[in-house]
Amino acid sequence: MNLEPGIPVDLHALSLETEPIEAAAVEAGAPVAGAVALAEVGEIEVGVWEMTPGVATDIEADEVFVVLSGRARIEYLDPALPTAEVGPGSLVWLQAGMSTRWTVTETLRKVYVAG
C-alpha cells in the first residue's frame, strides 16, 4: 500500500497480513506478526506493524514508533536499559543492533518510521 498525498488512512482499520514469528525467536505463546510499508520519504520508511500476544526476541533496526493500540513490555537485553511498558500513545526510539524481548499482552499495533 502506498500513501497518497492528502488522503487519510485509518491505521486502526488497515488490514495487515500476518504470519507466525520465526520459532527460534519465540519464547512463549504462538505470536504472529505483520507489517505494511506505507511510504518512503527519502530513505526513510513509514509503515504499520502488529504482533499478537506472546513473547519474542528481536534485533532492532533504527526506528522510532508510536503505539496505536495494545500493550507490551520491551526488555532491552543489550545494552541494559530499563524495561519499557508501552501502550497507546507511547513513543519509543530503537537503535540498530539493540537486542530486545517483546512481551505482548494485548495485540500491539504501532506506526513506525525506520531508516
Side-chain angles (χ1 to χ4, degrees), residues 29-101:
V32 299
V36 61
L38 299 172
E40 287 190 19
V41 181
E43 295 188 21
I44 303 296
E45 180 178 284
V46 178
V48 174
W49 177 89
E50 182 175 277
M51 179 178 156
T52 61
V55 180
T57 58
D58 198 14
I59 304 297
E60 303 299 336
D62 283 324
E63 172 185 340
V64 172
F65 68 85
V66 176
V67 175
L68 299 171
S69 60
R71 300 220 171 265
R73 182 175 62 250
I74 306 168
E75 296 172 77
Y76 302 101
L77 306 175
D78 183 28
L81 296 171
T83 297
E85 298 285 340
V86 298
S90 296
L91 173 78
V92 180
W93 174 25
L94 300 172
Q95 292 182 307
M98 290 176 108
S99 296
T100 55
R101 176 181 296 116

Side-chain angles (χ1 to χ4, degrees), residues 17-21 26 29-34 49-54 104 107-108:
E17 291 186 30
T18 60
E19 57 185 46
I21 293 176
V26 175
V32 299
W49 177 89
E50 182 175 277
M51 179 178 156
T52 61
V104 175
T107 297
L108 187 78

